[in-house]
Amino acid sequence: MLKPESYTAGELLSILSARQLKDGQVVFAGVGIPLLAATLAQRLRCPGLTILFEGGVIGAFIEPGRLPPSTNDQRCTRRANMVLGSADVLLLLQRGYVDVGFMGAAQIDQYGNLNSSVIGDPDHPTTRLPGSGGGNDISSLTEMIVAIKHEKRRFVENVDFITSPGWVHGQDSRRRGGLPTGGMYRVITDLAVFGFDDNTHRMKPIALNPGVTREQVQDNTGFKLEFDHTTGVTEPPTEHELTVLRELDPERLYIG
Amino acid sequence: MLKPESYTAGELLSILSARQLKDGQVVFAGVGIPLLAATLAQRLRCPGLTILFEGGVIGAFIEPGRLPPSTNDQRCTRRANMVLGSADVLLLLQRGYVDVGFMGAAQIDQYGNLNSSVIGDPDHPTTRLPGSGGGNDISSLTEMIVAIKHEKRRFVENVDFITSPGWVHGQDSRRRGGLPTGGMYRVITDLAVFGFDDNTHRMKPIALNPGVTREQVQDNTGFKLEFDHTTGVTEPPTEHELTVLRELDPERLYIG
Amino acid sequence: MSMVQSYSSLRKDLAQRDRSLREKVVSLEEAASFVRDEDSVGIGGSTMSRTPMGLIWALIRARRRKLSCSRSIVSSDGDLLFGSGACDHMVTSWFSQGILWGVSKVMRHHVETGKARYDEWSHMAMGMRFRAGAMGVPFMPIRSMLGSDVLRRRPDAVEMECPFTHEKLLLVPALNPDVALIHVQRCDAYGNAQIDGLPFIDVDLAMAANKVILSTERIVSNDQIRRAPDQTKIPFFAVDAVVELPFGCAPHECYGVYEPMIRHMEYYVDLVNKDPVAGMKQYLDRFVYGPKSWTEFLDLIGLEQLLASARAGTAIYDA
Amino acid sequence: MSMVQSYSSLRKDLAQRDRSLREKVVSLEEAASFVRDEDSVGIGGSTMSRTPMGLIWALIRARRRKLSCSRSIVSSDGDLLFGSGACDHMVTSWFSQGILWGVSKVMRHHVETGKARYDEWSHMAMGMRFRAGAMGVPFMPIRSMLGSDVLRRRPDAVEMECPFTHEKLLLVPALNPDVALIHVQRCDAYGNAQIDGLPFIDVDLAMAANKVILSTERIVSNDQIRRAPDQTKIPFFAVDAVVELPFGCAPHECYGVYEPMIRHMEYYVDLVNKDPVAGMKQYLDRFVYGPKSWTEFLDLIGLEQLLASARAGTAIYDA
């Protein structure tokens, strides 16, 4: 069994994220870890996994060692079944053809809301971040899986700015806000895997990553987490998972 | 100079209609005489005339002797610059890319409204006609030229059913109804050429066809026409116009 | 208005469909079983072009009843659907056999006697209704139909004042048929479809429908599709069944493959316009119920006509 | 709301354009003269793909000022527009050099100091705004942005209750830029443009804009266009100027022709993210104002990089 020191945080994130996907699903994947993890799942267990990219791509097979610098580059179209307009691929989410949206994030809060727009006051931001891209559309229109590095400054009680809505203010506030479908489903970090309470829609730990303690997770989280007897422990990455992953990203662009 | 007996009503209609078009215009043409007349204009004087068809065609050159049975057939796409969706070609009218709409009609009234839907009570029609097709869209969104056989039953005071709006009830009723652009511009028949009064928007004769009297025109029209000193006489078809036209429709599908 | 499916029910219907990458090739008879009585059925192509005649032929043979059909422009396909009793409600912008043959006596007979309903929309409105359905929104705004009797007969379209420009606009309701019937030049076994020439409204129709049945001139390998992904117009996950059916539009045309079989069309029109009841029965018995297979039907049209239209069809590429 | 052009003014602008079939080939410098100070400018492509970098480069050299630019996703093109002072307002969904390089210090510097404005919409909302503009309607209804702070910052989008389903919808206002800048793989002298691979929102942008400037890898004959009319994506009558500009997206990519020149991008990002003011000035002086021509600029990137990206670009067809 592999020890934590034998893989990086990026590698763990990619592998645990890949495990969340099921064969036959239609997955809308963002650039970076999501693209890498979806491609990994495709090669490991899900040959029938259909990957969609924001640039306008359906069913691509990314070539090992030629990871695209964004989901709008021609490398994303390799062996695709179809390419289409970037607005049209997002409309597939609105119509309902997509099972899972899969993204990274800069900042997340207790209700799974994501901020990639501004740190501080939106009128006078201390930091202007790149913005939504398709993030707002994806998280508004389908079930979401988010992969994110676990740091206190990234796991805040309430994000400064809701770019991509999770469960908004909890309870049924998402639906009341005009989003009757989708919602945050899983959050994968280098410390643990999280779900959301069916009623309050607050984030709750499902399983700790191998070798990680509850204290570690709580210490790196800006809001109170409820651990209980159902909180399990995740199986460590296997040799095979690591080998295939490292073939995909030999330049270690995303796995660090 | 050619005598009326040396050409058919269909030939006269086609030639007089073709004369209404200017080089460089973008023309949305219906099947039958309009398609034929637009193609004739293209070959006679307007090499830069762009013909659009409802099937989704931009800038076609119809092949002599291979007239399409409808504007949705592949023959309409011969040497086209572009083919596109049938809704998208109609959206070009809505956006404003088209100069002239050019159609035939079953029934027209004093305000240039066209009926191709029902004769009699719409709930219990004595005759159910084929319907609007793109006619309603074309006449709602651009300036119109109509080519029609001149018969009393076709030239009625008010159509039973407004399928394709002309000036609706005259004055500014078209604009008030929600159609701020376009409107009926010319009506070409085998007896005369008509325009519309700038204020009342009632149909008025501009010129008689060669050898036709005012009485003939009035007798074949179901509403009162105002002739005056400005009413002229149209130049008869030339040998050249007839020769080229007959080359286009050797089977006399549309010229009768 | 109840005529527009609510978003939650639209999403539920789609969530239940198997969208995985799987082979979907079925026989023409099996394809017909995907359509149930009283379904709303969207029909691809326009007038005599890329009409899924083989699929319609199979529905009639399967004795489907009370279908509500929609299409941009309807030709003899509508005659057969009305005449056979498979469909008693047509939603379209134009309905006759073709401009060459005047007004369809079959359409007239059924509509004027009240045997069947014909809801008329403008051609653009039909397209925008399918587009709204494809986009997962309940309506599209348009600027035509206003001020006409076509609109006066369609209370299910809503006039609104634009909140941005305060102009008058018309909102046409989304159309999400239970099933779409579409014919294409080629697709793979998964349903990735490529369309040559005139696309009409078929892509919007496919994305809007709650089920899609494709007939195709030929099934090609997935590798061939993946070599030109920018030629794919309908993605596999929107497709539920694929039927390989050469000459699947006969006697209508399929762009770049064959032109309409005009002699057969003229024979048909002459027969049914002389007597829309007896003439139609005669045609159905001989050409729809009679043949044992689609190939036998093609045989009745005759090889000579098939070859002539195929020659004319491919000629479009000589220009 | 004044941000949406009224229909009559939209139609008037279009009626005044010369839509006749005529040759429109101009030099890169002439093309820049089609854009005036304070114009709203729509930019085709997305991130580092099919970005009309040559046209943007020419606008900066022509010292345009106060441009308001819009694009689906903005990369280093936005940096240069802000950094050169040509543009002080960007309307987009995402703005940085690229995910590989973190957050653009140039974007941050201009937005955080208030030197320039960045209006954020969702990616789909941007696309639907161009689509509404292309269709000649004042808005499109969408189901995203609701409930988010992205919407709270955009009072110019309007929430409505659907008259059909009584659901909450968002109406996003049409975007009809004064000018669109679009790069394509090929077009003819009239402007009939064919696009390979990812189309992004370029077709809607072209139909929405009140003026369209095309740059193209190569100008082909009208005959070649007419041999495959179903490959034409932008019709000539929507185009006002055509510039033949090989490697016209450099250092970004053009599908099937060349991939991004990553070494040059890394050099650029390193320079401007170290010092968004001095670094930018240094880059502009050397790579934008310095060269006598676009070819001289390409020469500064270096033939070796051009050839390597061209090799990678065409490799997409080997898959």
Side-chain angles (χ1 to χ4, degrees):
Chain A
M1 194 160 103
L2 284 173
K3 299 234 169 336
E5 48 276 27
S6 51
Y7 45 81
T8 67
E11 288 173 333
L12 182 64
L13 261 183
S14 308
I15 289 164
L16 298 194
S17 301
R19 290 180 183 173
Q20 295 290 331
L21 303 172
K22 301 180 190 67
D23 199 15
Q25 282 183 322
V26 178
V27 180
F28 204 110
V31 74
I33 297 280
L35 178 151
L36 189 59
T39 305
L40 178 65
Q42 207 176 38
R43 308 224 162 212
L44 287 173
R45 312 170 354 259
C46 313
L49 185 76
T50 299
I51 304 176
L52 270 49
F53 294 129
E54 188 176 357
V57 182
I58 295 176
F61 285 102
I62 297 302
E63 189 174 9
R66 292 180 57 79
L67 295 175
S70 86
T71 52
N72 292 267
D73 294 74
Q74 70 168 32
R75 287 186 181 188
C76 296
T77 69
R78 186 171 174 284
R79 307 251 322 129
N81 282 306
M82 177 171 174
V83 304
L84 68 169
S86 42
D88 299 296
V89 77
L90 289 160
L91 286 170
L92 294 175
L93 290 155
Q94 185 165 274
R95 177 65 179 86
Y97 286 102
V98 180
D99 294 298
V100 184
F102 187 6
M103 288 163 45
Q107 193 185 52
I108 190 167
D109 70 16
Q110 60 182 333
Y111 295 117
N113 300 305
L114 308 178
N115 174 17
S116 55
S117 298
V118 288
I119 305 296
D121 167 10
D123 287 315
H124 310 89
T126 52
T127 308
R128 189 34 162 125
L129 300 169
S132 160
N136 173 278
D137 305 305
I138 300 166
S139 61
S140 297
L141 299 167
T142 191
E143 278 203 346
M144 289 286 294
I145 299 174
V146 165
I148 178 170
K149 221 168 157 323
H150 207 132
E151 301 167 0
K152 201 158 195 149
R153 62 183 187 93
R154 293 173 179 275
F155 273 68
V156 297
E157 186 147 33
N158 297 296
V159 289
D160 297 355
F161 188 97
I162 300 182
T163 307
S164 302
W167 297 106
V168 192
H169 309 302
Q171 307 292 352
D172 65 343
S173 55
R174 176 185 170 94
R175 168 177 305 273
R176 278 189 285 100
L179 304 176
T181 59
M184 200 54 63
Y185 170 68
R186 289 281 182 271
V187 177
I188 318 295
T189 83
D190 44 329
L191 297 184
V193 173
F194 301 85
F196 290 84
D197 180 272
D198 293 341
N199 304 316
T200 65
H201 287 123
R202 268 188 97 248
M203 197 186 297
K204 70 164 200 276
I206 292 175
L208 300 167
N209 291 354
V212 176
T213 67
R214 295 181 173 195
E215 294 61 35
Q216 262 177 287
V217 178
Q218 183 62 77
D219 292 350
N220 288 282
T221 304
F223 50 92
K224 181 91 187 62
L225 294 170
E226 324 259 317
F227 296 89
D228 58 32
H229 66 285
T230 67
T231 314
V233 175
T234 300
E235 285 299 310
T238 66
E239 283 287 3
H240 183 52
E241 286 173 321
L242 266 177
T243 312
V244 177
L245 175 62
R246 287 168 180 171
E247 282 165 12
L248 288 175
D249 188 9
E251 296 152 23
R252 310 191 67 81
L253 280 178
Y254 300 122
I255 59 181
Chain B
M1 194 161 105
L2 284 173
K3 299 237 167 330
E5 48 276 29
S6 51
Y7 45 82
T8 67
E11 289 173 331
L12 182 63
L13 262 184
S14 308
I15 288 164
L16 298 193
S17 301
R19 289 180 184 173
Q20 295 289 331
L21 302 173
K22 302 181 190 65
D23 198 15
Q25 282 182 321
V26 178
V27 180
F28 204 111
V31 73
I33 297 280
L35 178 151
L36 189 59
T39 304
L40 178 63
Q42 206 177 38
R43 306 219 165 219
L44 287 174
R45 317 168 351 260
C46 312
L49 186 75
T50 299
I51 305 176
L52 271 50
F53 293 129
E54 189 176 355
V57 183
I58 295 175
F61 284 102
I62 297 302
E63 190 174 9
R66 293 180 55 79
L67 296 175
S70 86
T71 53
N72 290 268
D73 294 74
Q74 71 168 33
R75 287 185 181 189
C76 295
T77 69
R78 186 172 174 283
R79 308 248 326 127
N81 282 305
M82 177 171 174
V83 305
L84 68 170
S86 42
D88 299 296
V89 77
L90 289 160
L91 286 171
L92 294 174
L93 291 155
Q94 185 165 272
R95 178 65 180 86
Y97 285 103
V98 179
D99 294 299
V100 184
F102 187 7
M103 288 163 47
Q107 194 184 52
I108 190 168
D109 71 15
Q110 60 183 331
Y111 295 117
N113 301 305
L114 308 179
N115 175 17
S116 54
S117 298
V118 290
I119 304 296
D121 167 11
D123 287 315
H124 311 89
T126 52
T127 309
R128 191 27 163 129
L129 300 169
S132 159
N136 172 279
D137 306 305
I138 299 165
S139 60
S140 297
L141 298 167
T142 191
E143 279 205 344
M144 289 287 293
I145 299 175
V146 165
I148 179 172
K149 219 166 159 325
H150 206 131
E151 302 168 359
K152 201 158 195 148
R153 62 182 185 93
R154 293 174 179 277
F155 273 68
V156 298
E157 186 147 31
N158 297 297
V159 289
D160 297 356
F161 188 97
I162 299 182
T163 308
S164 303
W167 298 106
V168 191
H169 308 302
Q171 305 294 351
D172 66 342
S173 55
R174 176 185 170 92
R175 169 176 304 274
R176 278 189 286 101
L179 304 175
T181 60
M184 201 54 65
Y185 170 68
R186 289 281 182 273
V187 177
I188 318 295
T189 83
D190 44 327
L191 296 185
V193 174
F194 301 85
F196 291 84
D197 181 89
D198 293 341
N199 305 316
T200 65
H201 286 124
R202 266 186 98 253
M203 197 187 295
K204 70 163 202 275
I206 292 177
L208 300 166
N209 293 354
V212 175
T213 67
R214 296 181 173 195
E215 295 60 36
Q216 262 178 290
V217 179
Q218 183 62 76
D219 292 349
N220 289 282
T221 305
F223 50 92
K224 180 91 187 66
L225 294 171
E226 323 259 316
F227 297 88
D228 59 31
H229 66 285
T230 67
T231 314
V233 174
T234 299
E235 284 299 309
T238 66
E239 284 287 1
H240 183 53
E241 286 173 320
L242 265 177
T243 313
V244 177
L245 175 62
R246 288 167 180 171
E247 280 165 12
L248 287 175
D249 187 9
E251 297 152 23
R252 309 190 70 81
L253 281 177
Y254 300 121
I255 58 182
Chain C
M1 252 128 138
S2 61
M3 91 169 317
V4 178
Q5 202 176 348
S6 80
Y7 190 50
S8 52
S9 108
L10 195 66
R11 290 292 298 259
K12 178 136 41 55
D13 286 352
L14 188 40
Q16 284 161 358
R17 289 164 69 185
D18 177 355
R19 281 160 286 119
S20 67
L21 193 73
R22 60 191 172 88
E23 303 207 344
K24 301 159 186 170
V25 181
V26 299
S27 71
L28 182 55
E29 292 64 31
E30 290 171 283
S33 70
F34 281 69
V35 182
R36 291 151 316 190
D37 291 351
E38 301 187 25
D39 270 354
S40 60
V41 180
I43 301 172
S46 185
T47 323
M48 288 192 289
S49 298
R50 255 186 336 89
T51 315
M53 290 299 269
L55 293 174
I56 290 167
W57 183 86
L59 287 184
I60 295 171
R61 286 160 62 95
R63 307 286 174 173
R64 288 287 165 281
R65 284 292 176 270
K66 292 189 159 16
L67 301 176
S68 167
C69 298
S70 54
R71 194 183 188 207
S72 300
I73 289 185
V74 171
S75 173
S76 58
D77 48 305
D79 280 1
L80 298 178
L81 283 161
F82 272 8
S84 65
C87 161
D88 58 8
H89 182 205
M90 185 63 73
V91 182
T92 187
S93 74
W94 197 90
F95 186 162
S96 195
Q97 291 123 355
I99 195 85
L100 294 172
W101 303 299
V103 186
S104 163
K105 291 286 198 315
V106 178
M107 179 277 286
R108 282 193 58 188
H109 168 73
H110 285 79
V111 175
E112 292 168 17
T113 59
K115 283 190 175 60
R117 218 173 106 199
Y118 164 12
D119 289 358
E120 179 178 347
W121 294 79
S122 82
H123 193 165
M124 189 171 78
M126 284 302 297
M128 290 303 100
R129 294 192 61 194
F130 286 126
R131 182 155 299 171
M135 290 169 61
V137 290
F139 62 78
M140 275 286 124
I142 68 170
R143 297 183 186 277
S144 64
M145 278 181 66
L146 292 161
S148 75
D149 291 328
V150 179
L151 175 57
R152 208 156 46 74
R153 305 282 300 168
R154 301 269 70 84
D156 32 21
V158 175
E159 285 189 39
M160 93 178 280
E161 185 191 313
C162 172
F164 299 96
T165 61
H166 308 293
E167 302 157 340
K168 194 182 280 191
L169 290 170
L170 185 69
L171 307 183
V172 294
L175 191 45
N176 293 97
D178 296 320
V179 194
L181 311 178
I182 296 172
H183 185 82
V184 301
Q185 285 87 356
R186 64 190 163 281
C187 69
D188 64 18
Y190 305 127
N192 289 298
Q194 301 188 336
I195 296 173
D196 300 327
L198 297 163
F200 302 115
I201 50 72
D202 294 28
V203 174
D204 286 325
L205 169 60
M207 303 319 285
N210 286 310
K211 207 187 288 174
V212 174
I213 305 173
L214 288 186
S215 60
T216 179
E217 289 298 317
R218 59 197 191 89
I219 293 174
V220 299
S221 72
N222 180 249
D223 279 345
Q224 179 173 337
I225 294 291
R226 291 185 189 267
R227 272 193 292 272
D230 55 0
Q231 297 307 298
T232 306
K233 302 300 195 304
I234 300 173
F236 72 90
F237 53 62
V239 174
D240 300 88
V242 171
V243 185
E244 189 171 51
L245 199 65
F247 284 102
C249 301
H252 290 187
E253 81 170 20
C254 181
Y255 190 103
V257 189
Y258 44 91
E259 281 197 352
M261 291 124 214
I262 290 293
R263 279 217 328 277
H264 183 84
M265 283 301 295
E266 281 166 349
Y267 164 84
Y268 161 82
V269 168
D270 184 59
L271 192 63
V272 298
N273 283 359
K274 256 204 223 89
D275 184 335
V277 178
M280 175 57 73
K281 184 179 183 314
Q282 198 182 324
Y283 184 85
L284 290 170
D285 288 341
R286 176 155 175 225
F287 291 97
V288 181
Y289 301 123
K292 286 195 188 50
S293 67
W294 180 249
T295 309
E296 254 192 49
F297 162 69
L298 295 178
D299 219 1
L300 290 175
I301 292 179
L303 186 57
E304 191 189 340
Q305 266 200 77
L306 294 183
L307 292 178
S309 7
R311 207 177 301 112
T314 49
I316 192 71
Y317 292 115
D318 307 341
Chain D
M1 251 131 145
S2 61
M3 89 168 317
V4 178
Q5 204 177 344
S6 81
Y7 191 50
S8 52
S9 108
L10 196 66
R11 292 290 300 256
K12 176 136 39 58
D13 286 352
L14 188 39
Q16 284 160 358
R17 288 164 69 184
D18 178 356
R19 281 160 286 118
S20 67
L21 193 72
R22 60 191 172 86
E23 303 207 344
K24 301 159 186 171
V25 181
V26 300
S27 71
L28 183 54
E29 292 63 33
E30 290 170 286
S33 71
F34 280 69
V35 181
R36 291 151 315 189
D37 291 351
E38 301 184 27
D39 270 354
S40 61
V41 180
I43 300 172
S46 186
T47 323
M48 288 192 289
S49 298
R50 256 186 336 88
T51 315
M53 290 300 269
L55 294 174
I56 290 166
W57 182 86
L59 287 184
I60 295 171
R61 286 160 62 96
R63 307 287 176 172
R64 287 288 165 280
R65 283 294 177 269
K66 294 187 159 11
L67 302 176
S68 167
C69 299
S70 54
R71 194 181 187 207
S72 301
I73 289 185
V74 171
S75 172
S76 58
D77 48 305
D79 280 1
L80 298 176
L81 284 161
F82 272 8
S84 64
C87 162
D88 58 8
H89 181 206
M90 185 64 72
V91 181
T92 187
S93 74
W94 196 89
F95 187 161
S96 195
Q97 292 123 355
I99 196 86
L100 294 172
W101 303 299
V103 186
S104 162
K105 289 287 197 319
V106 178
M107 179 278 285
R108 283 194 56 188
H109 168 73
H110 285 80
V111 176
E112 291 168 16
T113 58
K115 284 191 172 62
R117 215 172 107 200
Y118 165 12
D119 289 359
E120 179 178 348
W121 295 78
S122 82
H123 193 165
M124 188 172 78
M126 285 302 298
M128 291 302 100
R129 293 192 61 195
F130 286 127
R131 182 156 298 173
M135 290 170 61
V137 290
F139 61 79
M140 276 286 124
I142 67 170
R143 297 185 187 276
S144 63
M145 279 180 66
L146 292 161
S148 74
D149 291 328
V150 180
L151 176 57
R152 208 158 45 75
R153 304 282 300 168
R154 300 270 69 85
D156 32 22
V158 175
E159 286 189 38
M160 93 178 281
E161 185 193 313
C162 173
F164 299 96
T165 61
H166 308 293
E167 302 157 340
K168 194 182 279 192
L169 290 169
L170 185 68
L171 306 183
V172 294
L175 191 45
N176 293 98
D178 297 320
V179 194
L181 311 178
I182 297 171
H183 185 83
V184 300
Q185 283 88 356
R186 64 190 163 283
C187 70
D188 64 17
Y190 305 128
N192 290 297
Q194 302 188 336
I195 295 173
D196 300 327
L198 298 163
F200 302 116
I201 50 74
D202 293 28
V203 174
D204 285 325
L205 170 59
M207 303 319 285
N210 287 310
K211 207 186 287 175
V212 174
I213 305 174
L214 289 185
S215 60
T216 179
E217 289 297 318
R218 59 197 191 89
I219 292 174
V220 300
S221 71
N222 180 249
D223 279 345
Q224 179 173 336
I225 295 290
R226 291 186 190 266
R227 272 192 293 270
D230 55 1
Q231 297 307 298
T232 306
K233 300 301 193 304
I234 300 173
F236 73 89
F237 53 62
V239 174
D240 301 87
V242 170
V243 185
E244 189 171 51
L245 199 66
F247 285 101
C249 301
H252 290 187
E253 80 169 22
C254 181
Y255 190 101
V257 190
Y258 45 92
E259 283 197 350
M261 290 122 214
I262 290 292
R263 280 217 329 276
H264 183 85
M265 284 300 295
E266 281 166 349
Y267 164 85
Y268 161 81
V269 169
D270 183 60
L271 192 64
V272 298
N273 284 1
K274 259 205 226 91
D275 183 334
V277 178
M280 175 56 75
K281 184 180 184 313
Q282 198 183 324
Y283 183 86
L284 289 171
D285 289 342
R286 174 151 176 231
F287 291 97
V288 180
Y289 302 124
K292 288 199 184 48
S293 66
W294 181 249
T295 309
E296 250 191 50
F297 162 69
L298 295 177
D299 219 2
L300 290 175
I301 292 178
L303 186 56
E304 191 189 340
Q305 268 201 77
L306 295 182
L307 292 177
S309 340
R311 208 175 300 113
T314 49
I316 192 72
Y317 292 115
D318 306 339

